[in-house]
Amino acid sequence: MAIFSVYVVNKAGGLIYQLDHYAPRSDTEMTFSYPLDLVLRPRDERVVVAFGQRDGIRVGHAVLAINGAEVNGRLTADGKDVLEFLSNPANYPVSIRFGRHRLSSNEKLMLASMFHSLFAIGSQLSPEVGSSGIEMLETDTFKLHCFQTLTGIKFVVLADPRQAGIDALLRKIYEIYSDFALKNPFYSLEMPIRCELFDQNLKLALEVAEKAGPFGPGS
Amino acid sequence: MSRSRPAPSRPLESLLNSELFTLTYGALVTQLCKDYENDEDVNKQLDKMGYNIGVRLIEDFLARSNVGRCHDFRETADVIAKIAFKMYLGITPSITNWSPGGDEFSLILENNPLVDFVELPDNHSSLIYSNLLCGVLRGALEMVQMAVDVKFVQDTLKGDSVTEIRMKFIRRIEDNLPAGEE
């Protein structure tokens, strides 16, 4: 699973398509008895582990589910506050699932429009005239590749740093967009893409690119 | 009548038969004439439909042809005539009649695949049969930040010897420029 996600951003910076292609991160579910030896605290809309790392549970992991029922932000499925629930000995033994939280779709929208602005800054910072925007962003766990078409649509792919052939993949995604999204008369331009065929063909293209692996040209 | 096939980016079998295309376009225009009864309205509708096609077609064109941004109108004219028309209609119009300021030119089409087998009757003398093409060109160029005015000045259906499309550059569309294009 070397290609993690695909984002498509329209001219105005709005996210119109998003696909997560990675296997779910390892979540850890364990049964605990009172008192809990992990320190939990609320952060943003979630309850995260602040201190205490063991058995696959890391600092920063969020509480994903309690007793099998998915947690809703800081409230349990029944609407009780998670921290209160866990500080009451009567509720133990309890089974809690920890894991890295997934980005919610609102967060993705925000991040996409932030990237849209940063992309523009990339070309403004350049000492040369007529520079492109940000084409690649690298971290130690992934590389982000971005391709902007002449019409202003951006295709963003997050992949493993060793994955090769992403440029060709970005062009292929552009072709798939021009085929299955634009040639669908019921799809309106600049709106979120909800086309089955686009999804299917995109997934196929990602699989083909992954199989080519890190041995393709120009890694 | 020889029609050269566009360079196939798909297998030959999947290219549509051009007779079917001519029939489809003809059915479209005649239905519009029945619906609107007034040639001017039909021309406007064809232009609108062409515009909607153009804004989508441009992405397909850019995805498949890999041309970069054109920096002046002459480059644009070349790309339109030699690559775009060839890719989509299988013909290569010639570029002539440049205005002194370099902002207007004419495309001369020897044969127009849309009007194979078509004759205009007298009661539709102001109908611009291939007006869809004007809309397509206008819509496509608008998506790459160029505002243009496109119109037919000669039409074989009206008795002229060639079909001539006049394209005029109005201005560069400055709002919503993609980053890096200023």
Side-chain angles (χ1 to χ4, degrees), chain B residues 43-111:
Chain B
N43 291 340
K44 272 202 214 104
Q45 283 302 312
L46 282 173
D47 187 77
K48 260 197 238 173
M49 290 167 63
Y51 178 83
N52 283 320
I53 294 178
V55 301
R56 292 163 185 258
L57 198 72
I58 182 72
E59 308 267 15
D60 182 80
F61 174 68
L62 291 172
R64 283 178 215 288
S65 67
N66 249 330
V67 297
R69 185 169 289 278
C70 294
H71 294 285
D72 67 25
F73 208 40
R74 279 177 195 268
E75 256 189 272
T76 312
D78 275 337
V79 169
I80 294 176
K82 298 187 180 126
I83 311 183
F85 265 89
K86 186 120 183 59
M87 204 192 257
Y88 292 108
L89 289 175
I91 57 176
T92 310
S94 43
I95 306 170
T96 59
N97 280 352
W98 277 98
S99 69
D103 64 343
E104 273 191 66
F105 67 93
S106 291
L107 285 165
I108 310 278
L109 285 76
E110 302 287 315
N111 64 320

Side-chain angles (χ1 to χ4, degrees), chain A residues 125-215:
Chain A
L125 277 175
S126 166
E128 300 278 328
V129 98
S131 151
S132 75
I134 295 179
E135 286 182 343
M136 184 152 72
L137 200 97
E138 184 167 355
T139 71
D140 57 351
T141 46
F142 73 89
K143 251 190 202 172
L144 177 153
H145 301 252
C146 178
F147 168 57
Q148 177 170 254
T149 67
L150 292 185
T151 51
I153 308 245
K154 280 184 268 302
F155 296 95
V156 176
V157 167
L158 271 66
D160 189 290
R162 295 155 298 168
Q163 179 71 36
I166 300 287
D167 275 338
L169 174 66
L170 283 168
R171 301 275 179 294
K172 183 90 185 94
I173 298 179
Y174 189 22
E175 270 186 42
I176 295 176
Y177 168 75
S178 81
D179 281 340
F180 298 99
L182 292 185
K183 295 202 179 68
N184 180 347
F186 300 106
Y187 167 67
S188 336
L189 255 54
E190 309 293 295
M191 290 287 119
I193 302 177
R194 303 218 187 293
C195 312
E196 250 319 306
L197 287 173
F198 179 75
D199 277 334
Q200 286 170 12
N201 282 275
L202 183 58
K203 286 184 185 133
L204 267 173
L206 292 181
E207 269 151 41
V208 166
E210 279 175 348
K211 279 201 191 67
F215 306 109

Side-chain angles (χ1 to χ4, degrees), chain A residues 60-172:
Chain A
H61 273 192
V63 173
L64 295 179
I66 293 189
N67 289 333
E70 294 233 337
V71 152
N72 192 350
R74 285 196 227 157
L75 304 175
T76 66
D78 314 331
K80 299 197 219 29
D81 185 78
V82 168
L83 289 169
E84 268 180 50
F85 186 84
L86 290 175
S87 55
N88 184 346
N91 293 318
Y92 284 79
V94 72
S95 148
I96 313 179
R97 178 150 49 99
F98 290 94
R100 187 166 190 287
H101 70 91
R102 320 259 184 281
L103 284 172
S104 75
S105 32
N106 267 346
E107 284 170 336
K108 287 176 186 163
L109 266 162
M110 245 183 13
L111 291 172
S113 45
M114 262 197 271
F115 180 73
H116 171 83
S117 316
L118 283 175
F119 181 93
I121 291 175
S123 73
Q124 286 168 20
L125 277 175
S126 166
E128 300 278 328
V129 98
S131 151
S132 75
I134 295 179
E135 286 182 343
M136 184 152 72
L137 200 97
E138 184 167 355
T139 71
D140 57 351
T141 46
F142 73 89
K143 251 190 202 172
L144 177 153
H145 301 252
C146 178
F147 168 57
Q148 177 170 254
T149 67
L150 292 185
T151 51
I153 308 245
K154 280 184 268 302
F155 296 95
V156 176
V157 167
L158 271 66
D160 189 290
R162 295 155 298 168
Q163 179 71 36
I166 300 287
D167 275 338
L169 174 66
L170 283 168
R171 301 275 179 294
K172 183 90 185 94

